[in-house]
């Protein structure tokens, strides 16, 4: 029995934090400070964060850097009400996450403000894509909310196509999950996205 207890304690001591979900009420600063003080816990494989109240991106940037090559999956949610200042004061970089396999951006509401999404939010997303140095990236997905197909024209598709068409992304799978207020537009939405990503389609799967 003593041996079993010892083995159990040994197994427990080897347990490591691998999944982190930061909801709108979480403090990324406190989490990051704790992780930086515990190097043995800096092996996060999945991070999911909700951007609603993140006014300063530095803490999250430090968190991503501390996770390094261990991070395999990153989910970034942009709910309604995201601060423009939070986007402008961007301290995030995926350059250190060389083991990244999946990247998901969810929640951009194109209906809310075409100018903000087009000139601030989505360019920020494409900058994150351009920073990826992982040769293990297999999947990138986007979730968008639109009123009509015309809303998709607000995005800088040329830049998105260029960033997704990098040689190291050969074989990449890209998925768009589009929620539209009007029904029956699935084919039109798909056609619009497909037509806007000609370069990527020569290298990956849409």
């Amino acid at each position: 029995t003593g041996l079993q207890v010892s083995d159990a304690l040994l197994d427990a001591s080897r347990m490591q934090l691998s999944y982190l979900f930061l909801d709108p009420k979480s403090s990324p600063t406190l989490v990051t400070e704790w992780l930086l003080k515990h190097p043995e816990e800096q092996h996060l494989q999945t991070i999911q964060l909700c951007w609603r109240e993140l006014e300063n991106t530095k803490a999250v940037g430090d968190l991503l850097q501390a996770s390094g090559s261990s991070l395999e999956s990153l989910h970034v949610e942009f709910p309604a009400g995201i601060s423009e200042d939070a986007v402008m004061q961007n301290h995030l970089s995926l350059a250190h996450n060389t083991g990244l396999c999946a990247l998901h951006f969810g929640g951009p509401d194109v209906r809310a403000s075409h100018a903000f999404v087009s000139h601030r939010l989505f360019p920020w997303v494409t900058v994150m894509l351009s920073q990826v140095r992982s040769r293990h990236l297999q999947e990138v997905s986007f979730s968008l909310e639109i009123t009509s197909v015309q809303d998709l024209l607000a995005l800088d598709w040329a830049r998105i196509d260029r960033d997704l068409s990098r040689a190291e992304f050969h074989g990449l799978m890209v998925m768009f999950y589009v929620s539209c207020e009007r029904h029956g537009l699935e084919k039109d939405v798909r056609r619009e996205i497909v037509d806007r990503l000609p370069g990527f389609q020569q290298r990956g799967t849409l």
Side-chain angles (χ1 to χ4, degrees), residues 138-159:
Q138 302 171 3
E139 176 185 308
V140 175
S141 62
F142 304 89
S143 295
L144 306 172
E145 296 182 19
I146 63 175
T147 301
S148 66
V149 179
Q150 290 296 112
D151 287 341
L152 293 174
L153 301 180
L155 306 181
D156 187 350
W157 290 103
R159 182 170 183 173

Side-chain angles (χ1 to χ4, degrees), residues 161-202:
D161 190 37
R162 182 174 67 249
D163 289 334
L164 293 176
S165 300
R166 287 161 49 187
E168 56 267 39
F169 287 170
H170 184 80
L172 182 69
M173 177 177 290
V174 173
M175 293 171 286
F176 283 85
Y177 300 96
V178 182
S179 175
C180 185
E181 287 185 355
R182 297 170 58 186
H183 298 290
L185 296 178
E186 292 84 358
K187 291 183 179 179
D188 294 334
V189 168
R190 179 172 178 78
R191 184 184 309 112
E192 182 66 32
I193 294 176
V194 168
D195 290 347
R196 298 284 177 171
L197 299 174
F200 169 73
Q201 291 191 78
Q202 297 178 15

